[in-house]
């Protein structure tokens, strides 16, 4: 059964090592978001660096998720002191559970504050695509799909929640995926651009 891969990428206003209150707040909120998303129905796994590599991105051992990569347009630092980005790569059972996790509760509150922490880049902040059961998506493929989405828009190869595709490549919609009904937490299918 195909699984949904979801990659997110954002350029932070300050390096991860910056001691400012906003950076600390971003980390604190991020920890709560990861904990909540990890318990969300439909969540399968996310890329994590090995124990000894926590706090680093570019030199970390990501195991089956491959070598860490970023879009070509990212022009900030790549050292522990200068890296100014946040990226996630995760696996889900379907589009609807991923959408629900992103646009409800703590993560939704974080999205409302994203402009406090992230630069506006004029580029997509996330991309989704289908992977075959048993396949772990890798960072380089995720970056390539985000860049494809930026150049070509949503397609079966790389799509958004606003314009999703089914595993067979046919266009679909969030309300057509999964068997759950919309809730007040999902704000009746109101999607960001």
């Amino acid at each position: 059964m195909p699984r949904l891969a979801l990659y997110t990428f954002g350029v932070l206003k300050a390096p991860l090592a910056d001691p400012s209150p906003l950076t600390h707040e971003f980390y604190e909120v991020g920890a709560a978001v990861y904990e909540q998303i990890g318990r969300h129905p439909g969540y399968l796994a996310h890329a994590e660096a090995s124990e000894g590599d926590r706090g680093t991105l570019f030199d970390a051992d990501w195991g089956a998720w491959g070598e860490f990569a970023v879009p070509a347009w990212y022009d900030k630092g790549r050292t522990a002191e200068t890296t100014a980005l946040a990226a996630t790569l995760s696996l889900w059972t379907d589009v609807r559970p991923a959408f629900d996790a992103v646009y409800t509760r703590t993560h939704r509150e974080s999205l409302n504050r994203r402009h406090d922490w992230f630069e506006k880049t004029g580029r997509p902040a996330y991309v989704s695509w289908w992977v075959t059961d048993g396949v772990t998506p890798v960072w380089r493929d995720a970056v390539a799909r985000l860049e494809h989405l930026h150049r070509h828009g949503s397609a079966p190869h790389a799509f958004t929640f606003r314009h999703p595709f089914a595993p067979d490549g046919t266009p679909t919609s969030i309300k057509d995926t999964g068997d759950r009904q919309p809730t007040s937490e999902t704000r009746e299918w109101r999607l960001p651009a």
Side-chain angles (χ1 to χ4, degrees):
M1 179 172 202
R3 300 177 299 167
L4 185 79
L6 174 63
Y7 171 63
T8 66
F9 184 84
V11 179
L12 292 165
K13 290 183 175 180
L16 293 168
D18 188 318
S20 73
L22 275 180
T23 303
H24 287 294
E25 182 183 55
F26 173 75
Y27 272 122
E28 289 170 10
V29 169
V33 166
Y34 263 115
E35 183 180 325
Q36 195 172 74
I37 283 180
R39 294 188 315 263
H40 197 279
Y43 166 84
L44 298 171
H46 72 273
E48 282 190 280
S50 65
E51 273 309 306
D53 290 334
R54 295 198 186 262
T56 64
L57 297 173
F58 291 95
D59 297 326
D61 176 2
W62 293 93
W65 303 86
E67 182 182 343
F68 188 75
V70 295
W73 50 267
Y74 171 74
D75 62 358
K76 303 261 179 151
R78 292 173 183 252
T79 67
E81 296 77 30
T82 62
T83 298
L85 65 90
T88 66
L89 181 54
S90 57
L91 276 172
W92 296 84
T93 56
D94 205 343
V95 175
R96 181 57 197 250
F99 171 83
D100 285 347
V102 169
Y103 293 106
T104 58
R105 294 184 266 183
T106 305
H107 195 271
R108 177 65 184 187
E109 294 166 16
S110 298
L111 284 176
N112 291 338
R113 299 217 33 229
R114 67 188 173 274
H115 298 302
D116 292 343
W117 303 312
F118 293 96
E119 294 180 358
K120 294 179 183 180
T121 65
R123 298 183 182 267
Y126 74 95
V127 65
S128 294
W129 69 99
W130 294 102
V131 295
T132 308
D133 190 27
V135 170
T136 301
V138 296
W139 291 106
R140 288 194 185 279
D141 186 33
V143 167
R145 289 175 190 267
L146 185 73
E147 291 174 338
H148 184 275
L149 176 67
H150 176 67
R151 287 190 307 274
H152 305 287
S154 278
H157 177 76
F159 55 87
T160 65
F161 293 130
R162 184 178 288 276
H163 301 288
F165 286 81
D168 66 3
T170 59
T172 189
S173 69
I174 293 296
K175 62 183 172 183
D176 292 338
T177 62
D179 53 6
R180 292 184 42 186
Q181 296 299 310
T183 67
S184 60
E185 285 185 344
T186 60
R187 307 209 179 179
E188 195 64 36
W189 322 119
R190 216 175 79 208
L191 300 172

